[in-house]
């Protein structure tokens, strides 16, 4: 201390801690001159003691004016040292950095001023303190005092200039510091960080692109900032980096793709648009380098296809098509299962466009990697079946296309039909809403005869009789009305003269027996009119219910359509088609006279030429000797009448019906089920009626009557 006092007058030290800035400034000038003299004489030991005094007695003093004087004194000492200041920086800089966090805003201001003057003198030599200085400037950029902020900005510009011209700057040590601060929300700090990223990226010798994954997420986070200026700065920086990526031969797509995928789902529209734009460029640039990330990219693209912002939708669709156009090899890090899993999850999306594109991806994978997709069939099959209940017709069509593609294999065809029937069984609303649509489409894609034969085979052994009846009625209506099944109808019309038609009729017959109305319709279509008469005459009271009459009403109306034009024309020859006439009269007798169907059918029968029918023919028809196509229990086959024989020759392909036994047995099962349900209802009703009586006091006649009245 005595050595210092011998160099610095006591008055200078006193003025250095004065509350007036001018006195402190004059004292600092005195110190600058003293240090310059000591430096010229090479007395660095005294200089070190002097700097230590300024730091310990002034810069670290509890008195604010002393701290202010210490800061200006340290800056003055650095100026006095000039080119020799670097050897004393370890003593000079730490007290200044410590003052950046001072409680007094004026002290923080003078700290900025002091470090600015020090940096101007030493330039690149103070780069060893860069991380500490950067940390301090980051905090000061958001200082509550405007003057401190302004001083920090001036210092920041100077430090940037020094860094850009310094070859000792270590980007590797700086990046962790930057990464830690990228998610700060303060707008001033964000501006500060973007400014540094932009400056460092402009330096040719600094490879900021190589470290982009470390701070890319932070830049994207700034795109949703409330400040327009910050959004623009972040967007500008990102655009510059994207351009560099396009021109760079080596890019780390992996880490950045993970960030972009997350940002593509951001709530902010601008962030989503920027992220999907980057992904679009990555798909174009990366090619096979992106194979390991296909699933993640697809998971980001598909939701964006349904984005509410049109620009995002356009870019997402473009990216989706570009991604799908790249044919990958499963042996080249392309995970078919992962991509398939993403597409499957997106089938639960609330947006139709996304679900459709997910199905397009499943279809694409199935076409390109059939064997690999079948390995994951159990994972997607149930989801695809559930998709048949989708509210969108377009989605259902795509699902059916996929099912049809898989069903080219016989095993998967059987599995498809079985699962489809199961879905119809457990979800009757699906059968009502989409049953006809689904089955008709499958008939187009997979061959109608194949589909109907398989459905019929399954229904023949169906344990749920109610479902079997409903399903047969649905299939029968499709068979009679759908344009897709016109060839099937033509084949059935040839059942009596064609082996293929006969075989098809027989394959349908057993399952169609679940519904009397369906079997009658099938017989009319196949022109097995005598059996139709037998079925009609075998109907009992339980068969003719409201459901039966509704089905009959539909059939009568269908008889007036072009599909049954051949049948109506046959009525012009009642002598030849006596069983047809009798079958239609049988239906007429079943219908209520006041119903519209009764009136329609009666009008039609009135047009039949009456002079072509005589009593003998009707008697023969009633006795079963005309147009017979039935094999009786005795085993003797009765052929058609003479007119029919003349037209068709010997009916070697005649159909044997075993005297209605198969139909009657099936209907007997339905009747027994209906009776058991009726008995169960009756017993339940009896229990309900008896219950309140058993709880009513015996000596209360009024309560007995009241209880009975309530039950009634």
């Amino acid at each position: 201390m005595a050595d210092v006092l011998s160099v610095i007058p006591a008055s200078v030290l006193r003025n250095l801690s004065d509350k007036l800035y001018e006195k402190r400034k004059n004292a600092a000038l005195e110190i600058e001159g003293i240090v310059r003299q000591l430096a010229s004489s090479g007395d660095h030991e005294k200089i070190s003691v002097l700097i230590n005094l300024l730091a310990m007695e002034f810069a670290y003093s509890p008195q604010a004016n002393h701290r202010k004087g210490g800061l200006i004194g340290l800056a003055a000492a650095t100026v006095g040292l000039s080119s020799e200041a670097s050897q004393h920086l370890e003593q000079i800089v730490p007290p200044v950095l410590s003052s950046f966090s001072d409680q007094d805003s004026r002290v923080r201001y003078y700290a900025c001023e002091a470090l600015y003057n020090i940096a101007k003198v030493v330039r690149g030599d103070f780069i060893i303190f860069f991380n500490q200085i950067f940390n301090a400037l980051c905090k000061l950029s958001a200082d509550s005092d405007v003057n401190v902020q302004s001083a920090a900005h001036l210092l920041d510009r100077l430090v940037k200039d020094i860094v850009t011209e310094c070859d000792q700057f270590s980007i590797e040590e700086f990046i962790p510091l930057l990464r830690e601060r990228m998610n700060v929300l303060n707008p001033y700090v964000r501006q500060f960080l973007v400014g540094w990223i932009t400056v460092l990226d402009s330096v040719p010798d600094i490879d900021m692109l190589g470290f982009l994954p470390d701070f890319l997420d932070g830049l994207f986070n700034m795109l949703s900032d409330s400040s327009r200026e910050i959004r623009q700065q972040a967007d500008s920086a990102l655009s510059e980096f994207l351009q560099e990526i396009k021109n760079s031969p080596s890019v780390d797509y992996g880490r950045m793709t993970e960030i972009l995928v997350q940002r593509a789902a951001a709530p902010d529209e601008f962030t989503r648009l920027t992220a999907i734009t980057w992904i679009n460029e990555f798909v174009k640039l990366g090619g096979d380098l992106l194979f390991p990330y296909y699933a993640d990219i697809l998971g980001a693209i598909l939701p964006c296809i349904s984005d509410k912002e049109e620009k995002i939708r356009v870019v997402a669709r473009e990216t989706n098509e570009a991604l799908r156009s790249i044919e990958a090899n499963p042996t080249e890090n392309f995970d078919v299962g992962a991509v398939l899993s993403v597409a499957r999850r997106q089938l639960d999306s609330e947006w139709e466009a996304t679900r459709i594109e997910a199905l397009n991806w499943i279809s694409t994978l199935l076409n390109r990697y059939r064997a690999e997709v079948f390995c994951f069939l159990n994972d997607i099959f149930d989801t695809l079946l559930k998709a048949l209940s989708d509210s969108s017709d377009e989605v259902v069509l795509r699902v059916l296309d996929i099912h049809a593609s898989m069903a080219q294999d016989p095993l998967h065809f059987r599995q498809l039909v079985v699962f489809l029937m199961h879905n119809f069984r457990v979800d009757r609303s699906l059968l009502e809403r989409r049953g006809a649509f689904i089955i008709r489409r499958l008939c187009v894609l997979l061959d109608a005869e194949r589909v109907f034969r398989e459905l019929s085979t399954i229904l023949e052994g169906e344990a749920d009789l109610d479902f079997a009846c409903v399903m047969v009625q649905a299939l029968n209506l499709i068979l009679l009305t759908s344009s897709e099944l016109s060839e099937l109808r033509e084949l059935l019309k040839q059942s009596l003269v064609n082996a293929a038609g006969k075989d098809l009729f027989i394959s349908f017959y057993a399952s169609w027996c679940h519904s009397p109305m369906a079997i009658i319709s099938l017989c009319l279509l196949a022109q097995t009119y005598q059996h139709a008469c037998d079925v009609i005459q075998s109907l009992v009271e339980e068969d003719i219910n409201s459901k039966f009459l509704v089905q009959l009403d539909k059939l009568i109306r269908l008889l007036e359509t072009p599909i049954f034009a051949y049948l109506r024309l046959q009525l012009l020859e009642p002598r030849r088609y006596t069983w047809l006439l009798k079958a239609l009269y049988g239906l007429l007798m079943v219908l209520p006279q006041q119903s519209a169907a009764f009136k329609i059918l009666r009008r039609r029968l009135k047009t039949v030429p009456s002079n072509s029918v005589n009593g003998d023919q009707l008697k023969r028809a009633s006795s079963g000797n005309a147009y017979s196509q039935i094999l009786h229990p005795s085993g003797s086959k009765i052929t058609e009448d003479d007119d029919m024989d003349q037209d068709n020759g010997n009916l070697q392909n005649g159909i044997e019906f075993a005297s209605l036994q198969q139909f009657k047995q099936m209907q007997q099962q339905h009747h027994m089920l209906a009776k058991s349900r009726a008995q169960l209802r009756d017993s339940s009703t009896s229990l309900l009626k008896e219950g309140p009586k058993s709880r009513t006091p015996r000596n209360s006649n009024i309560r007995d009557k009241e209880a009975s009245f309530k039950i009634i």
Side-chain angles (χ1 to χ4, degrees):
M1 184 68 178
D3 292 339
V4 176
L5 292 175
S6 66
V7 176
I8 305 176
S11 59
V12 173
L13 295 175
R14 187 169 54 252
N15 289 336
L16 192 62
S17 60
D18 197 275
K19 64 179 181 178
L20 297 176
Y21 173 73
E22 288 299 326
K23 288 187 177 182
R24 295 198 301 272
K25 182 179 179 181
N26 291 331
L29 291 174
E30 294 262 2
I31 292 174
E32 178 185 338
I34 294 170
V35 171
R36 185 175 286 110
Q37 289 179 359
L38 291 173
S40 61
S41 62
D43 195 349
H44 285 279
E45 186 177 347
K46 285 187 178 181
I47 294 174
S48 180
V49 173
L50 187 149
I51 293 172
N52 186 61
L53 173 69
L54 293 174
M56 303 307 296
E57 299 296 329
F58 288 86
Y60 291 126
S61 171
Q63 300 296 323
N65 290 329
H66 279 66
R67 296 197 295 275
K68 297 173 186 176
L71 291 169
I72 196 171
L74 289 170
T78 306
V79 173
L81 284 166
S82 188
S83 60
E84 299 180 48
S86 59
Q87 58 185 300
H88 296 282
L89 285 179
E90 293 287 350
Q91 287 180 283
I92 296 172
V93 174
V96 179
L97 292 175
S98 177
S99 299
F100 281 141
S101 57
D102 198 281
Q103 296 294 321
D104 192 325
S105 61
R106 297 305 297 169
V107 173
R108 297 197 298 275
Y109 175 85
Y110 287 120
C112 293
E113 184 182 75
L115 191 58
Y116 182 90
N117 291 322
I118 293 168
K120 285 182 66 177
V121 173
V122 299
R123 304 297 291 184
D125 289 334
F126 94 132
I127 206 72
I128 59 174
F129 298 101
F130 176 78
N131 283 3
Q132 296 97 307
I133 294 171
F134 179 85
N135 185 43
L137 287 174
C138 187
K139 295 177 181 178
L140 291 176
S141 63
D143 198 279
S144 58
D145 190 282
V146 177
N147 293 324
V148 175
Q149 281 190 21
S150 299
H153 291 162
L154 288 173
L155 175 60
D156 180 51
R157 283 201 292 269
L158 176 61
V159 175
K160 286 175 181 174
D161 290 340
I162 294 171
V163 168
T164 55
E165 64 188 28
C166 179
D167 57 1
Q168 298 176 359
F169 176 74
S170 174
I171 185 67
E172 291 80 6
E173 295 180 6
F174 169 70
I175 289 298
L177 200 65
L178 177 65
R179 183 174 58 240
E180 291 175 5
R181 288 156 178 76
M182 285 304 295
N183 290 321
V184 174
L185 299 179
N186 188 284
Y188 297 107
V189 175
R190 285 183 163 183
Q191 279 187 310
F192 171 79
L193 296 173
V194 175
W196 268 99
I197 291 171
T198 304
V199 167
L200 293 176
D201 187 47
S202 66
V203 180
D205 295 335
I206 298 177
D207 180 24
M208 285 294 282
L209 184 60
F211 296 96
L212 180 58
D214 290 291
F215 55 87
L216 180 64
D217 188 62
L219 283 176
F220 268 93
N221 199 28
M222 295 179 190
L223 292 176
S224 58
D225 195 277
S226 58
S227 169
R228 181 181 180 183
E229 185 177 358
I230 293 174
R231 294 197 302 270
Q232 289 177 339
Q233 288 178 353
D235 181 49
S236 177
L238 286 168
S239 299
E240 185 63 31
F241 278 118
L242 185 57
Q243 190 60 43
E244 291 178 27
I245 289 172
K246 293 179 182 179
N247 299 327
S248 176
S250 178
V251 178
D252 182 4
Y253 289 107
R255 291 175 61 196
M256 288 191 286
T257 298
E258 295 174 2
I259 295 169
L260 296 174
V261 165
Q262 294 178 357
R263 289 298 169 180
D268 178 65
E269 291 180 5
F270 187 47
T271 303
R272 292 200 306 275
L273 177 60
T274 307
I276 204 69
T277 301
W278 272 62
I279 292 174
N280 183 33
E281 293 296 337
F282 275 26
V283 170
K284 295 176 182 177
L285 297 169
D288 54 1
L289 296 175
L290 292 174
F291 285 168
Y293 313 105
Y294 258 41
D296 293 335
I297 293 174
L298 184 62
I301 293 172
L302 290 179
C304 290
I305 287 175
S306 302
D307 198 279
K308 60 183 179 181
E309 180 63 38
E310 184 180 1
K311 292 180 180 179
I312 297 175
R313 293 198 302 270
V314 170
V315 179
R317 287 192 176 278
E318 180 185 333
T319 309
N320 184 55
E321 293 304 320
L323 191 66
R324 190 156 48 208
S325 66
I326 303 174
E327 294 195 22
N329 190 327
T331 61
E332 298 177 353
N333 295 323
F334 179 67
D335 191 343
V336 175
V339 177
L340 199 61
S341 178
V342 169
R344 178 183 59 80
R345 288 197 301 270
Q346 291 301 325
L347 290 179
D348 294 328
S349 170
E350 61 178 311
W351 306 109
E352 178 185 358
T354 295
R355 298 196 300 274
I356 290 174
E357 285 304 322
L359 290 168
N360 287 340
W361 267 98
I362 294 175
S363 179
T364 299
L365 293 172
L366 186 61
N367 293 334
R368 292 180 184 173
Y369 318 105
R370 190 175 185 85
E372 288 79 4
V373 170
F374 275 126
C375 293
F376 301 97
L377 189 59
N378 291 335
D379 296 334
I380 65 170
F381 198 79
D382 287 344
T383 305
L384 288 173
L385 282 175
K386 291 177 183 177
L388 292 173
S389 304
D390 198 278
S391 58
S392 165
D393 288 346
E394 184 67 20
V395 170
V396 175
L397 284 174
R398 301 296 173 92
V399 173
L400 290 172
D401 288 343
I402 294 171
H403 278 303
S405 178
M406 292 189 295
Q408 292 174 7
D409 177 73
L411 176 63
H412 292 110
F413 173 76
R414 171 73 180 178
Q415 186 181 19
L416 168 62
V417 179
V418 169
F419 273 87
L420 187 61
M421 291 290 285
H422 173 72
N423 275 21
F424 285 152
R425 187 184 302 108
V426 298
D427 185 4
R428 298 290 177 86
S429 63
L430 174 63
L431 177 60
E432 294 172 4
R433 292 182 293 105
R434 287 287 171 75
F437 179 74
I438 292 170
I439 293 170
R440 289 172 60 183
R441 184 61 183 170
L442 286 177
C443 287
V444 172
L445 297 171
L446 293 173
D447 179 63
E449 183 176 344
R450 184 186 180 196
V451 172
F452 262 70
R453 279 180 180 272
E454 192 66 42
L455 288 169
S456 180
T457 301
I458 295 172
L459 284 170
E460 186 176 348
E462 176 60 47
D464 187 341
L465 297 180
D466 285 341
F467 167 72
C469 182
V470 172
M471 191 69 204
V472 165
Q473 290 170 0
L475 291 176
N476 184 65
L477 188 60
I478 296 170
L479 177 64
L480 295 178
T481 60
S482 299
S483 59
E484 295 88 350
L485 277 76
S486 58
E487 293 183 5
L488 211 59
R489 288 195 294 271
E490 290 302 317
L491 187 58
L492 283 169
K493 290 176 186 177
Q494 304 298 317
S495 296
L496 295 177
V497 295
N498 183 291
K502 170 188 172 182
D503 182 64
L504 182 62
F505 180 89
I506 293 173
S507 70
F508 287 179
Y509 187 85
S511 57
W512 255 243
C513 283
H514 281 289
S515 169
M517 202 65 254
I519 204 69
I520 294 170
S521 303
L522 183 65
C523 289
L524 293 178
L525 184 63
Q527 303 185 60
T528 56
Y529 300 134
Q530 181 176 349
H531 189 63
C533 285
D534 292 336
V535 171
I536 293 169
Q537 289 180 328
S538 72
L539 296 175
V540 296
E541 181 181 348
E542 291 91 336
D543 295 320
I544 306 174
N545 51 34
S546 59
K547 293 181 180 179
F548 174 85
L549 293 175
V550 169
Q551 293 294 318
L552 179 55
D553 183 274
K554 292 180 181 179
L555 175 61
I556 299 304
R557 295 177 189 277
L558 283 173
L559 292 177
E560 298 297 316
T561 64
I563 293 172
F564 283 101
Y566 72 92
L567 183 148
R568 298 196 300 275
L569 291 172
Q570 288 172 351
L571 291 175
L572 294 174
E573 302 178 78
R575 289 172 59 86
R576 184 177 179 185
Y577 297 101
T578 307
W579 288 110
L580 168 60
L581 195 61
K582 186 175 181 180
L584 294 179
Y585 270 108
L587 294 178
L588 187 68
M589 295 303 104
V590 173
L591 284 166
Q593 293 189 42
Q594 300 303 318
S595 65
F598 178 87
K599 296 174 183 177
I600 293 171
L601 183 55
R602 185 176 62 175
R603 282 198 301 269
R604 174 59 63 186
L605 291 173
K606 282 182 179 180
T607 63
V608 176
S610 58
N611 58 358
S612 301
V613 185
N614 57 46
D616 291 339
Q617 286 176 309
L618 289 174
K619 188 180 295 183
R620 288 170 59 197
S622 301
S623 63
N625 294 325
Y627 301 99
S628 179
Q629 307 151 343
I630 303 176
L631 179 66
H632 288 270
S634 62
S636 59
K637 181 183 291 185
I638 302 174
T639 62
E640 301 286 355
D641 67 359
D642 294 339
D643 291 334
M644 197 67 169
D645 287 338
Q646 291 173 5
D647 290 338
N648 297 326
N650 294 327
L651 294 178
Q652 299 299 322
N653 295 322
I655 301 173
E656 302 174 358
F657 290 103
S659 297
L660 284 175
Q661 288 306 311
Q662 191 172 15
F663 172 73
K664 289 182 176 180
Q665 288 173 2
M666 182 61 70
Q667 288 305 304
Q668 184 64 27
Q669 294 180 34
H670 283 271
H671 296 159
M672 291 175 63
L673 177 63
K675 287 180 180 178
S676 64
R677 287 180 176 172
Q679 291 174 356
L680 182 62
R681 285 196 301 269
D682 292 343
S683 62
S684 298
T685 304
S686 299
L687 289 173
L688 287 172
K689 289 181 177 179
E690 293 173 2
K693 291 181 179 180
S694 63
R695 292 191 297 269
T696 306
R698 295 181 180 179
N699 58 354
S700 178
N701 294 328
I702 297 176
R703 289 182 180 177
D704 286 343
K705 293 178 181 178
E706 288 178 351
S708 301
F709 177 78
K710 289 178 182 178
I711 291 172
I712 292 170

